[in-house]
């Protein structure tokens, strides 16, 4: 993913999780997930 600020990255990740949750909710399901940065600071969400 391309981003210019840490805030933008957090927003992108939040949007991905929210969209997944919305789609799952429409299908009476749920989501569970995590993301991990490879290289760089190796952060996780």
């Amino acid at each position: 993913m391309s981003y210019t600020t840490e805030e933008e990255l957090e927003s992108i990740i939040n949007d991905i999780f929210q969209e997944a949750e919305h789609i799952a909710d429409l299908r009476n399901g749920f989501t569970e997930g995590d993301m991990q940065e490879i290289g760089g600071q190796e952060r996780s969400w």
Side-chain angles (χ1 to χ4, degrees):
M1 288 180 263
S2 300
Y3 63 93
T4 54
T5 65
E6 294 296 317
E7 292 80 20
E8 183 182 12
L9 175 61
E10 294 292 330
S11 177
I12 291 167
I13 291 170
N14 188 46
D15 290 348
I16 291 169
F17 282 127
Q18 283 183 346
E19 182 68 17
E21 176 118 0
H22 176 72
I23 291 168
D25 190 44
L26 291 174
R27 294 175 171 87
N28 298 317
F30 66 94
T31 61
E32 196 174 315
D34 60 285
M35 289 190 191
Q36 185 172 6
E37 179 183 27
I38 299 173
Q41 298 175 20
E42 297 194 20
R43 298 170 286 190
S44 61
W45 296 265

